[in-house]
Amino acid sequence: MTTSSQRQAKPLHLVWVYPVPVATALDSATWLQTTHVLRTLGWQVTLVAKGPTGQHTINGVQVTCVSTPAKYLLNNVAFHLRVLLLILQGWRTTDVVLFHQLSAPWFLPLRLLRRFSGRRRPQFVMDTRDLNTVEGGLKNRIRRAYFDLTHALANRWADGQTAITERMAELVRIPAAKRWGYWPSGVSLERFANAHTGRRWPTAAEPVHLMYVGKLHSERNLLPICHAVDQAHQRGMHFVLTFVGAGPEQAKLEACAAQSEGRICVLPAVSHEQIPQLLRNAHVGITSLPAPDDAKFEASSPIKLFEYMAAGIPMLATSNGCHTDVVGAGQYAFWVHEVSPEGILRALIEINDAKLTLAERGEEARRAVLAWTWSAAGEQLDGALRAGLRGVLAPP
């Protein structure tokens, strides 16, 4: 017979469902790195994602992959049906099923099965990391409506919820009683360990190299950066601006670059493995530039900010809460308080005046990023899940 102490000695079992091909996802570190951390902290983690059926090692992390048809709707139906079977097969050994918005309608009904079985596990927990608010056609409108439905369902029926930030929990109105905790994005320090070495910082007479790495979308306010750099040039300040990425704004940015006499350059998107080497050539990293009062961005956790910090460069960012919460009183950010060419120009003037201190500010950023690693994020998720389990499974 299994004793109480033997049950306590068993590692907690987490089934984590990620309905995307993790091997090719740009944000795969969120799941792979955090799973690795949780396993080192004593969890048994079954990370389930789309891919060729079977156990696969992806970036050093074992993943249970489920194959699906190519068509979008059939793809998701088949994936969730197969994962439902996997959950039922491991029902008696699973403590937590962690999932995201897309999966909520599929998994929350399993709570009824748990009620009929008289068990208190597994607990069903939804995690919210972003919102689908990008404007677009019918497909995006349907997706937004679906996400609204999943939040309503989870707020009513999930055992608990986690979120990327406390602001995100407020934005999607997670009830206080269901908030198990928060865990932000992070960065893999190993990838950027050498990104700061060999960088040549500008002298007083040399241009400052600004670099943006990411998607080229209009909501990221990239065109005003081009106009601000042109205005700075007219005032006798020297900047070189490089965009690295792809997206709907690419053609407009390339048109600006063609008229810039070499000050602006647009490069194609690169793999994550190439980003550290690219940033070695930069002096200041440019984040997405959401308006300071943009609630969706304010609730996010800025991975790109962490990557610039890990690479040892200061950054140009809007004074949106998602940025200021990280930087605090640090001196390694130059703030844009108004997203316009004039507002960005004011920040460029500050960068120009601080040109000879950029190396020092970059080192400050490298020290500060130690609090924003995937290890730190994984520890916070570990704490949230354990605290949630204690709250709902502790004996009366």
Side-chain angles (χ1 to χ4, degrees):
M1 179 179 293
T2 302
T3 67
S4 176
S5 61
Q6 286 174 323
R7 286 195 297 269
Q8 290 297 320
K10 290 182 180 179
L12 293 167
H13 183 196
L14 170 68
V15 174
W16 193 353
V17 183
Y18 178 49
V20 173
V22 72
T24 56
L26 292 177
D27 55 354
S28 63
T30 305
W31 288 266
L32 295 175
Q33 294 292 325
T34 311
T35 291
H36 172 72
V37 174
L38 289 175
R39 286 172 178 164
T40 64
L41 294 172
W43 286 81
Q44 177 190 345
V45 182
T46 302
L47 178 61
V48 186
K50 292 180 180 178
T53 296
Q55 300 291 322
H56 299 275
T57 300
I58 303 172
N59 294 342
V61 176
Q62 188 181 66
V63 182
T64 300
C65 292
V66 175
S67 62
T68 56
K71 290 189 176 181
Y72 178 79
L73 184 58
L74 288 177
N75 180 296
N76 283 296
V77 170
F79 174 79
H80 285 99
L81 288 175
R82 290 167 184 170
V83 175
L84 280 171
L85 179 60
L86 186 150
I87 292 172
L88 291 173
Q89 289 171 340
W91 187 261
R92 292 189 174 277
T93 64
T94 302
D95 296 290
V96 180
V97 176
L98 182 64
F99 54 90
H100 306 279
Q101 294 105 311
L102 190 64
S103 304
W106 293 91
F107 299 152
L108 288 176
L110 290 176
R111 292 181 73 244
L112 294 175
L113 176 61
R114 189 186 68 205
R115 180 178 297 178
F116 294 144
S117 70
R119 301 182 77 247
R120 302 180 72 184
R121 306 187 191 207
Q123 292 281 297
F124 290 89
V125 180
M126 189 173 88
D127 179 58
T128 300
R129 310 210 63 69
D130 57 19
L131 295 175
N132 191 74
T133 58
V134 177
E135 295 300 324
L138 178 62
K139 182 178 177 180
N140 264 356
R141 291 198 298 272
I142 293 173
R143 189 174 178 86
R144 285 199 301 274
Y146 183 90
F147 272 41
D148 289 342
L149 171 65
T150 63
H151 285 292
L153 289 174
N155 288 348
R156 178 67 179 86
W157 295 109
D159 292 303
Q161 295 189 59
T162 59
I164 193 169
T165 62
E166 187 172 356
R167 282 195 175 97
M168 180 64 78
E170 294 288 344
L171 191 61
V172 298
R173 300 176 181 174
I174 299 175
K178 292 183 182 288
R179 295 188 192 185
W180 281 23
Y182 319 104
W183 60 287
S185 298
V187 66
S188 302
L189 294 184
E190 298 79 9
R191 283 183 52 221
F192 293 87
N194 299 315
H196 68 291
T197 61
R199 180 179 291 116
R200 186 176 178 278
W201 294 96
T203 64
E206 292 176 322
V208 174
H209 190 175
L210 310 171
M211 184 175 289
Y212 170 89
V213 182
K215 295 178 181 179
L216 308 181
H217 286 291
S218 59
E219 67 267 18
R220 302 196 175 196
N221 291 309
L222 305 179
L223 283 173
I225 305 172
C226 298
H227 302 320
V229 166
D230 285 338
Q231 291 180 24
H233 175 71
Q234 294 167 11
R235 295 186 177 211
M237 292 175 279
H238 303 296
F239 292 94
V240 173
L241 171 60
T242 300
F243 295 101
V244 181
E249 289 290 277
Q250 184 171 340
K252 293 180 181 179
L253 294 171
E254 288 175 341
C256 284
Q259 302 295 321
S260 70
E261 300 177 344
R263 290 185 299 277
I264 301 171
C265 175
V266 181
L267 300 179
V270 299
S271 68
H272 272 261
E273 289 70 27
Q274 294 174 280
I275 291 175
Q277 180 62 35
L278 268 176
L279 292 179
R280 187 177 291 179
N281 300 316
H283 301 139
V284 176
I286 302 175
T287 70
S288 299
L289 295 180
D293 58 354
D294 187 311
K296 183 233 180 185
F297 272 95
E298 190 172 50
S300 68
S301 183
I303 289 180
K304 195 57 63 182
L305 187 77
F306 303 145
E307 291 184 346
Y308 294 151
M309 292 166 67
I313 55 176
M315 66 283 307
L316 176 72
T318 55
S319 53
N320 185 280
C322 70
H323 299 141
T324 57
D325 284 352
V326 173
V327 177
Q331 299 300 304
Y332 50 89
F334 296 93
W335 298 118
V336 174
H337 300 292
E338 176 193 344
V339 185
S340 65
E342 294 72 26
I344 298 170
L345 176 62
R346 286 191 284 272
L348 293 183
I349 293 172
E350 291 184 20
I351 293 173
N352 186 69
D353 292 343
K355 184 183 296 187
L356 298 183
T357 70
L358 294 180
E360 176 185 338
R361 293 169 189 255
E363 279 302 304
E364 182 189 359
R366 276 211 323 135
R367 293 192 299 270
V369 82
L370 295 177
W372 301 96
T373 63
W374 283 120
S375 292
E379 289 173 1
Q380 290 185 58
L381 178 57
D382 168 68
L385 294 177
R386 290 182 189 275
L389 285 174
R390 283 195 300 271
V392 298
L393 301 180

